[in-house]
């Protein structure tokens, strides 16, 4: 039966609501077809069929689209193979018809027992609310009716200033185009190379360069600063024209340090994000690892920034990838390899950049999809931006004779972005780098509020006519997830598929169980933990298990087990329970010092019951005398003493994750021989002597080792102030702080506290401690 609003005798016209009532045995379904060209064609075919079968005159018309449905077979009589074929074609047609906004909503007209393709809908007479999901779906389908795009000009600039003050005008770099940009994102690296900036993140250069930028913005427009974020020498400034300020919201910034010991801010990234109208933008300024051969460390820095950069003011927190438009700028430090520097310079002088770019590490790594996957970069038709003799256009004349390279880059990711220009600015010569700029025309989605309200009202009116809404239905491919043997700091991932087998959109979320503080254990991460699935579609969930120090201690002490029950909650529907299990292979990492001093064999050889006893007993009874310090710490220090004292940049260069895993395996499976002579150095202070014995021993032992490191300062380039600052926050830990943005006052107090810690450790590094005997 065919029904429509309006005059039932009139021909179908676009803009008239169309309903199709399909009956088969007890099954009665009502389809609503949104007006469109294909709906009109469909209705026309039905009228032709009615005319033929009522008049019965002339040869039957050719309904070629009915070939699969010949005969009088109802749906219930179709074989399973034919049924699957029919549904496949229907799904394909549905995808093709999205441009015409052809959608359907099913209604139970008479009975509570409904059967539809691929599933059974809820039984009973009480409707289950999925109203909000349907509204979101319908509004998303009609989005192009109430939104339009506005093209904005975005300026991206990056410059490694090599610690120089702003002694030149930046006008040619920032305002050299005839028309002003709508948005500025300007990044600096090596803003200040002093030790004060490195150790305490404090520099007067921030104000100097900010003032220089403000004074050089395009004079044809007025700008308002969105945000400034700085980490040591990396600084990112974002400005928008005043006419756009009212539409900017959700401003947030974050920093990630990947430098010394994998956390200091001499390398890493800073980012600013915000929403402009209905488009989210994220700008990332980074300074990656240096040196020609360290492209793998640069790759690792990029991935560390991506994984650790989290805007925590949002719930759930947003990462870099969770934005419509992403712009990545900075001194990425990728170099030219496989070409002699002399040949590189010859090609550049001839403006023959292609053979040089083929040896560009960033392009090679990007092609291999090891870094910046999904990002784009414009055509490079300018000279390399590094390395020059400062104040000149002369290539590096030092003994190193570095090959020129395009270290300073701008990349982007997102739909509706068109690059207008990509260039360097060699006229600015105060640094050994040249600044780079890129202009983009970016399509920003804007909502027409009047049209939005009108369409929203139409959707609400149509929903009011529905007699029932269906219970959300999903299918989970696995409700018992079992991980292989897990080790400390080695992640494992399993995939979980949630498929929407119902007729309405499904909103799902993993929720907390009673008395739990989180929806999953600390060692488990679920991505995404919440989502929205359209009918007939699926969502891939990644379950990642990662045992860090905190989790390892709980597992070693028996406080926790590698077992969790996840509760998958469907909005307006039922809960699904999923178990996650695995076996943890114990490690000395995550074990307490008080337990390790009683262990003379590798920790993996200790029965789990004995390890739990050592971790949980306040007064340990043992026939064996404890070691003064854990053997694992002695192994590490002994190895550094014999092999690392003359190693340049000791402690300053972070290790690769694979190297850390090798060290862990060595300590957990290492020699069970008893410790030999532990100390040749004795030291003490009254405050240290008040510590528990084992912690006092560890502190004095490590300080003695650091004194030995400093005795080789001519070879390793270290000094007591730097070492004291690095180890001050390691030896003297702060109590845990709740997550979230720190206020400027808290940041200032933290800097003062860190300086006090550094001064405390500094005392033990530069003074003779021979008048204090270990253990007295």
């Amino acid at each position: 039966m065919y029904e429509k609003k309006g005059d039932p005798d009139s021909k179908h016209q676009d803009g008239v609501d169309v309903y199709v009532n399909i009956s088969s045995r007890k099954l009665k379904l009502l389809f609503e077809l949104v007006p469109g060209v294909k709906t009109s064609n469909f209705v026309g075919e039905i009228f032709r069929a009615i005319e033929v079968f009522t008049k019965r005159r002339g040869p039957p018309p050719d309904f070629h689209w009915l070939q699969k449905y010949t005969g009088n077979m109802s749906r219930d009589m179709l074989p399973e193979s034919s049924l699957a074929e029919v549904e496949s074609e229907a799904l394909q047609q549905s995808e093709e018809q999205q441009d015409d906004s052809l959608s359907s909503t099913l209604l139970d007209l008479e009975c509570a027992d409904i059967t539809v393709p691929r599933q059974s809908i809820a039984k009973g007479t009480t409707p289950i609310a999925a109203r909000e999901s349907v509204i979101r779906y319908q509004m998303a389908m009609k989005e192009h009716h109430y939104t339009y795009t506005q093209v904005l000009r975005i300026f991206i600039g990056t410059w490694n200033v090599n610690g120089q003050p702003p002694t030149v005008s930046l006008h040619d770099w920032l305002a050299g185009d005839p028309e002003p940009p709508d948005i500025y994102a300007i990044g600096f690296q090596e803003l200040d190379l002093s030790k004060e900036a490195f150790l305490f993140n404090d520099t007067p250069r921030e104000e100097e360069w900010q003032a220089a930028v403000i004074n050089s913005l395009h004079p044809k427009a007025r700008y308002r600063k969105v945000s400034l974020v700085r980490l040591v020498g990396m600084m990112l400034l974002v400005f928008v024209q005043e006419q756009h300020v009212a539409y900017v919201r959700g401003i947030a910034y974050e920093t990630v340090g990947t430098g010394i010991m994998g956390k200091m801010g001499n390398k890493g990234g800073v980012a600013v994000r915000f929403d402009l109208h209905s488009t989210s933008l994220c700008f990332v300024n980074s300074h990656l690892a240096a040196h020609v051969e360290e492209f793998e460390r640069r790759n690792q820095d990029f991935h560390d920034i991506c994984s650790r950069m989290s805007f925590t003011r949002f719930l759930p927190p947003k990462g870099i990838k969770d934005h419509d438009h992403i712009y990545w700028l900075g001194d990425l430090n990728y170099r030219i390899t496989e070409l002699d520097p002399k040949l590189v310079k010859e090609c550049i002088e001839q403006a023959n950049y292609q053979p040089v770019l083929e040896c560009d590490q960033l392009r090679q790594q990007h092609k291999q999809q090891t870094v910046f996957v999904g990002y784009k970069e414009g055509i490079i038709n300018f000279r390399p931006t590094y390395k020059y003799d400062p104040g000149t256009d002369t290539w590096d004349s030092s003994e190193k004779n570095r090959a020129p390279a395009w270290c300073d880059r701008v990349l982007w990711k997102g739909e509706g972005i068109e690059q207008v220009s990509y260039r360097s600015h060699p006229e600015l010569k105060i640094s050994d780098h040249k600044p780079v700029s890129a202009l983009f025309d970016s399509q920003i989605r804007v909502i027409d509020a009047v049209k939005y309200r009108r369409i929203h009202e139409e959707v609400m009116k149509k929903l009011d006519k529905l007699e029932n809404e269906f219970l959300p239905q999903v299918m989970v491919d696995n409700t018992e997830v079992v991980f292989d043997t897990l080790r400390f700091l080695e992640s494992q991932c399993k995939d979980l598929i949630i498929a929407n087998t119902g007729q309405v959109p499904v909103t799902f979320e993993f929720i907390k169980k009673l008395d739990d503080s989180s929806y999953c254990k600390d060692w488990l991460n679920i991505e995404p933990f919440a989502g929205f699935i359209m009918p007939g579609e699926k969502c891939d969930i990644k379950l990642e298990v990662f045992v860090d120090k905190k989790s390892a201690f709980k597992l070693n002490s028996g406080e926790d087990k590698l077992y969790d029950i996840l509760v998958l909650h469907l909005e307006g529907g039922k809960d699904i329970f999923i178990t996650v299990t695995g076996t943890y292979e114990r490690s000395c990492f995550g074990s307490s010092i008080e337990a390790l001093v009683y262990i003379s064999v590798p920790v993996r050889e200790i029965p789990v019951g004995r390890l739990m006893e050592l971790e949980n007993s306040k007064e340990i009874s043992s026939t064996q005398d404890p070691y003064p310090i854990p053997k694992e710490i002695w192994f590490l220090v002994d190895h550094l003493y014999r092999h690392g004292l003359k190693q340049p940049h000791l402690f300053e260069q972070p290790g690769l994750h694979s190297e850390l895993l090798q060290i862990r395996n060595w300590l957990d499976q290492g020699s069970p021989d008893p410790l030999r002579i532990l100390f040749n150095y004795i030291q003490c202070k009254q405050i240290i002597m008040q510590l528990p014995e084992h912690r006092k021993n560890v502190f004095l032992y490590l300080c003695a080792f650091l004194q030995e490191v400093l005795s080789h300062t001519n070879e390793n380039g270290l000094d007591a102030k730097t070492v004291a600052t690095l180890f001050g926050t390691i030896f003297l830990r702060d109590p845990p702080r709740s997550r979230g943005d720190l206020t400027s006052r808290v940041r200032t107090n933290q800097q003062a506290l860190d300086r006090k810690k550094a001064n405390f450790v500094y005392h033990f590094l530069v003074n003779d401690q021979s008048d204090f005997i270990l253990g007295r």
Side-chain angles (χ1 to χ4, degrees):
M1 182 178 68
Y2 167 74
E3 300 177 358
K4 64 176 181 177
K5 280 191 174 180
D7 183 2
D9 296 326
S10 65
K11 297 295 183 181
H12 173 73
Q13 298 176 357
D14 288 346
V16 179
D17 291 341
V18 179
Y19 295 88
V20 177
N21 188 348
I22 299 178
S23 302
S24 173
R25 297 185 179 179
K26 293 184 178 181
L27 176 64
K28 294 188 178 184
L29 304 175
L30 178 65
F31 288 83
E32 175 193 2
L33 305 184
V34 176
V37 174
K38 294 184 178 178
T39 297
S40 300
N41 294 339
F42 173 73
V43 172
E45 291 291 293
I46 291 179
F47 274 120
R48 279 210 300 149
I50 293 174
E51 184 177 358
V52 168
F53 288 108
T54 55
K55 295 183 179 180
R56 301 278 185 179
R57 287 182 292 185
D62 180 18
F63 296 103
H64 61 86
W65 56 279
L66 285 173
Q67 290 177 0
K68 293 180 180 178
Y69 313 101
T70 54
N72 296 320
M73 297 175 63
S74 69
R75 177 181 178 85
D76 300 303
M77 299 169 60
L78 283 173
E80 291 185 1
S81 58
S82 299
L83 184 59
E85 190 175 8
V86 169
E87 292 177 1
S88 175
E89 183 183 48
L91 179 60
Q92 181 179 356
Q93 291 177 349
S94 174
E95 293 173 348
E96 294 173 350
Q97 293 168 349
Q98 284 184 359
D99 291 338
D100 289 330
S101 298
L102 178 59
S103 63
S104 63
T105 304
L106 300 177
L107 295 177
D108 176 14
L109 297 181
E110 294 183 359
C111 64
D113 188 1
I114 308 173
T115 304
V116 294
R118 302 183 302 279
Q119 57 141 44
S120 292
I121 302 298
K123 296 182 179 181
T125 58
T126 303
I128 304 297
R131 190 179 188 86
E132 292 301 321
S133 297
V134 176
I135 293 173
R136 286 194 296 267
Y137 171 53
Q138 293 289 335
M139 293 302 294
M141 293 289 290
K142 300 174 183 292
E143 182 178 10
H144 62 283
H145 291 301
Y146 60 81
T147 61
Y148 63 93
T149 58
Q150 180 179 352
V151 177
L152 300 186
R153 178 66 56 89
I154 298 180
F155 178 98
I156 306 293
T158 177
W159 193 9
N160 183 321
V161 296
N162 194 31
Q164 301 301 312
T167 57
V168 295
S169 171
L170 308 182
H171 182 273
D172 291 341
W173 175 35
L174 302 180
D177 296 298
E179 296 301 322
D182 296 278
I183 300 174
Y184 275 104
I186 305 163
F188 295 96
Q189 306 84 42
E190 295 190 356
L191 204 68
D192 191 336
L193 298 177
S194 68
K195 284 198 172 182
E196 287 73 18
F198 168 65
L199 297 176
F200 304 113
N201 197 24
D202 187 18
T203 172
R205 293 285 161 78
E206 177 180 314
E207 293 296 331
E208 295 175 4
W209 278 100
Q210 180 181 194
V213 167
I214 293 174
N215 292 333
S216 299
L217 297 179
H218 207 289
K220 291 185 179 181
R222 300 181 64 180
Y223 293 92
R224 188 84 60 84
K225 184 174 72 175
V226 172
S227 184
L228 179 153
V229 57
R230 185 179 60 81
L231 177 63
V232 186
M234 291 172 287
M235 183 169 75
L236 178 61
L237 290 146
V238 179
F239 299 86
V240 301
Q241 284 195 28
E242 285 192 348
Q243 60 178 316
H244 303 303
V245 169
Y247 308 103
V248 174
R249 64 186 186 283
I251 302 170
Y253 65 85
E254 285 295 340
T255 66
V256 170
T258 63
I260 296 175
M261 302 187 76
K263 69 172 186 176
M264 298 296 285
N266 57 312
K267 293 293 187 293
V270 297
V272 172
R273 65 88 53 205
F274 59 89
D275 296 314
L276 180 59
H277 291 287
S278 295
T279 300
S280 59
L281 299 96
C282 183
F283 302 92
V284 184
N285 174 26
S286 66
H287 192 186
L288 306 186
H291 306 303
V292 175
E293 68 281 359
E294 297 292 352
F295 66 90
E296 288 185 342
R297 293 190 186 276
R298 288 187 272 280
N299 294 352
Q300 180 170 307
D301 285 351
F302 166 79
H303 292 294
D304 285 348
I305 293 170
C306 289
S307 62
R308 292 165 52 193
M309 187 75 72
S310 179
F311 299 98
T312 55
R313 62 165 291 185
F314 302 98
L315 189 65
K318 291 182 180 292
I320 295 174
K321 62 181 177 59
D322 302 320
H323 293 84
D324 299 319
H325 292 179
I326 306 169
Y327 299 90
W328 196 298
L329 56 134
D331 180 1
L332 307 187
N333 251 325
Y334 287 94
R335 308 299 177 86
I336 303 299
T337 54
E338 305 170 6
L339 277 184
D340 182 76
K342 182 178 180 181
L343 179 58
V344 172
K345 295 175 182 178
E346 290 177 356
C347 291
I348 293 170
E349 293 305 319
Q350 301 169 7
N352 184 18
Y353 301 139
Q354 188 57 37
V356 183
L357 286 169
E358 290 177 357
C359 299
D360 173 66
Q361 290 177 340
L362 178 55
R363 292 205 168 186
Q364 292 174 342
Q365 295 300 303
H366 186 258
K367 186 176 181 180
Q368 297 172 18
Q369 294 193 334
T370 57
V371 71
F372 285 105
V373 176
Y375 284 80
K376 299 177 183 178
E377 185 182 25
I379 298 174
I380 294 178
N381 53 15
F382 52 85
R383 291 163 62 88
T385 57
Y386 177 84
K387 179 184 192 316
Y388 296 86
D389 290 338
T392 73
D393 289 323
T394 305
W395 299 117
D396 179 28
S397 60
S398 68
E399 294 181 359
K400 294 184 179 180
N401 187 30
R402 299 176 179 87
W406 289 275
C407 290
D408 310 279
R409 312 288 273 267
V410 177
L411 297 94
W412 76 91
K413 185 177 183 180
E415 298 295 330
I417 301 175
E418 180 181 354
Q419 190 175 66
V420 178
S421 67
Y422 192 21
R423 58 202 171 186
S424 68
H425 299 265
E427 63 273 10
L428 297 177
K429 304 178 181 181
I430 61 175
S431 171
D432 55 354
H433 290 250
K434 302 296 185 184
V436 169
S437 68
L439 283 179
F440 298 92
D441 281 341
S442 300
Q443 296 181 8
I444 304 299
R445 291 194 308 275
V446 182
I447 293 178
D448 186 318
V450 175
K451 291 182 178 180
Y452 180 89
R453 285 193 295 268
R454 177 175 57 80
I455 293 174
H456 188 269
E457 289 174 0
E458 292 176 358
V459 170
M460 295 295 291
K461 289 178 181 178
K462 290 181 180 180
L463 290 179
D464 289 340
K465 301 170 187 175
L466 300 182
E467 298 182 18
N468 271 317
E469 294 183 359
F470 293 117
L471 176 71
Q473 292 284 328
V474 301
M475 180 178 292
V476 180
D477 67 331
N478 186 10
T479 56
E480 295 182 2
V481 181
V482 181
F483 284 89
D484 300 329
T485 300
L486 295 155
R487 298 179 179 87
F488 181 76
L489 291 188
E490 281 190 24
S491 67
Q492 283 192 33
C493 296
K494 294 281 187 179
D495 291 327
L496 195 69
I497 299 176
I498 304 175
N500 185 347
T501 56
Q503 295 298 314
V504 295
V506 171
T507 298
F508 72 87
E509 180 183 7
F510 288 92
I511 62 173
K512 297 186 294 184
K513 299 182 289 293
L514 293 176
D515 301 326
D516 282 355
S517 59
S518 178
Y519 57 86
C520 67
K521 296 290 184 68
D522 292 339
W523 41 263
L524 179 62
N525 182 58
I526 305 173
E527 182 69 28
F529 79 93
F532 183 77
I533 312 176
M534 300 304 301
E537 297 183 357
K538 65 180 180 67
C539 181
D540 295 324
I541 307 295
K542 184 175 77 171
L543 303 180
E544 180 184 15
V545 173
F546 184 79
V547 179
D548 57 12
K549 184 176 180 180
K550 179 181 178 182
S551 301
F553 179 79
K554 291 182 178 180
L555 293 169
N556 287 340
S557 63
E559 183 181 339
D560 195 3
K561 297 180 180 179
L562 271 177
Y563 177 84
D564 199 3
I565 298 178
L566 307 179
V567 182
L568 176 62
H569 174 70
L570 308 182
E571 183 179 311
K574 63 180 182 179
D575 292 340
I576 300 172
F577 298 91
I578 301 168
T579 60
V580 179
T581 59
T583 302
Y584 175 63
E585 192 171 75
R586 301 181 306 281
S587 172
C588 62
F589 290 87
S591 299
S592 67
I593 292 175
E594 287 79 6
L596 288 176
V597 294
Y598 282 94
I599 299 177
S600 60
V601 298
V603 70
R604 291 180 184 172
E605 298 181 11
I606 294 290
V608 63
R610 176 56 177 165
L611 185 59
M612 291 170 58
E613 177 186 340
L614 293 174
E615 292 289 2
N616 294 321
S617 299
K618 295 183 179 179
E619 296 183 3
I620 301 175
S621 58
S622 175
T623 57
Q624 172 195 344
D625 292 332
Y627 294 131
I629 66 167
K631 65 182 185 307
E632 288 82 4
I633 293 179
W634 184 87
F635 283 150
L636 289 172
V637 174
D638 180 68
H639 182 83
L640 289 172
Y641 178 79
R642 289 186 285 110
H643 302 291
L645 295 181
K646 298 182 180 181
Q647 178 68 34
H649 307 295
L650 184 66
F651 302 130
E652 295 182 359
Q653 186 68 52
L656 296 173
H657 183 68
S658 58
E659 297 170 341
L660 179 59
L661 297 183
Q662 291 178 353
I663 295 173
R664 180 208 63 196
N665 290 335
W666 171 54
L667 294 176
D668 290 343
Q669 302 173 2
S671 169
D673 295 339
L675 296 178
R676 298 185 296 274
I677 299 175
L678 291 177
F679 291 93
N680 291 323
Y681 321 99
I682 51 177
Q683 54 179 345
C684 184
K685 290 292 177 184
Q686 185 60 37
I687 189 171
I688 293 300
M689 293 300 293
Q690 296 175 6
L691 292 173
E693 181 178 0
H694 302 305
R695 296 186 180 274
K696 172 197 66 179
N697 291 344
V698 170
F699 176 81
L700 294 176
Y701 181 57
L702 292 179
C703 285
F705 169 67
L706 294 177
Q707 283 185 325
E708 181 65 11
V709 171
L710 292 172
S711 70
H712 297 271
T713 185
N714 292 335
E715 291 85 3
N716 58 38
L718 294 174
D719 60 70
K721 186 176 181 181
T722 298
V723 173
T725 302
L726 290 173
F727 284 85
T729 56
I730 296 174
F731 287 162
L732 307 173
R733 301 295 180 90
D734 294 329
R737 181 183 291 114
S738 60
R739 297 182 65 184
D741 291 340
L742 295 178
T743 64
S744 59
R745 181 176 181 181
V746 173
R747 293 181 186 273
T748 302
N749 292 340
Q750 185 63 45
Q751 292 176 1
L753 181 59
D754 289 345
R755 294 190 186 193
K756 292 179 180 180
K757 294 177 182 179
N759 291 336
F760 181 86
V761 176
Y762 182 82
H763 178 78
F764 286 87
L765 301 182
V766 300
N767 291 289
D768 182 18
Q769 306 299 329
S770 59
D771 57 328
F772 296 90
I773 300 176
L774 181 64
R776 177 180 295 177

